[in-house]
Amino acid sequence: MTQPGEQVSPVIQFQNVFRTYEMGDQVLNALDGVDVDIQRNEYLAIVGASGSGKSTMMNIIGCLDRATRGEYLLNGTNVGAMSEAELARARNRDIGFIFQSFNLLSRASALKNVMQPLVYRGIPLAERKRIASEALERVGLGDRLNSLPNQLSGGQRQRVAISRALVGHPAILLADEPTGNLDSKTSQEIMALIDQLHDEGQTIIIVTHEPDIASHCERVIQLSDGRIESDRRQQRSFS
């Protein structure tokens, strides 16, 4: 537990981060000198129009892409200096991903999908099954361990994806349009689950273009043309 006066380092730091693409004779700054600190246990939305840079920012946070210039520190470690193997370990251990399209293995059961990230940690099979079963129980799918993705509803598939993201106890839960393929009722159920995860102490970053989804968060970063247009705190919506 943090003591009064103790200095707490951000879990994520962007220091003058650029992501530049060359398109013929033109240079496009998808991120144009972004500075931001994100603390542990924050509930943050990154919003902006198409082309604003939010997907680029998400990819860099998730160690799926690298900054062209500037520094990205993840838990105090300079990501730009990491090898490809170190990046892969960071993705597996520090970041849990939730995607709009679920990204589940179609021929694997819910249990095997959730077990997948644990394979790379050398955890014995019986222990992987126990941990994955508990993760699925946590999201209300303890009775669907052996179901294939095509036997599950969209909301159930996203719950499997959330379980898979959480199974390794990541420092950050990174969600890209987590309700984009769901109807409004199911979206509310998934956001209620994500709200609960934050209340239990999980650091959560949501990339979204939907104001209703961003309203669940306590902090909203608005991007425009690769720059931070606003960075504001807000009261969470529980509707």
Side-chain angles (χ1 to χ4, degrees), residues 67-157:
T68 306
R69 187 152 49 96
E71 285 194 346
Y72 166 31
L73 303 179
L74 174 61
N75 286 320
T77 300
N78 183 0
V79 173
M82 288 183 180
S83 67
E84 290 301 321
E86 288 169 333
L87 284 173
R89 279 196 294 275
R91 287 192 295 269
N92 183 252
R93 293 180 179 273
D94 294 327
I95 302 161
F97 294 94
I98 304 171
F99 299 99
Q100 176 178 347
S101 56
F102 317 133
N103 283 20
L104 300 178
L105 300 171
S106 61
R107 297 184 181 181
S109 67
L111 183 65
K112 288 183 178 178
N113 267 285
V114 175
M115 286 167 57
Q116 193 64 29
L118 303 176
V119 171
Y120 307 107
R121 300 194 182 191
I123 297 172
L125 177 60
E127 183 72 356
R128 294 202 303 268
K129 285 183 176 179
R130 183 189 65 78
I131 294 170
S133 296
E134 289 177 357
L136 285 162
E137 287 273 3
R138 185 180 182 188
V139 299
L141 290 178
D143 60 341
R144 303 304 299 268
L145 301 184
N146 297 314
S147 298
L148 297 174
N150 65 7
Q151 297 170 323
L152 300 171
S153 68
Q156 288 171 328
R157 277 178 275 172

Side-chain angles (χ1 to χ4, degrees), residues 223-238:
L223 292 179
S224 179
D225 297 326
R227 297 179 179 179
I228 294 179
E229 189 173 79
S230 65
D231 184 347
R232 59 185 173 83
R233 302 280 173 176
Q234 65 179 16
Q235 286 290 112
R236 278 168 59 187
S237 164
F238 292 91

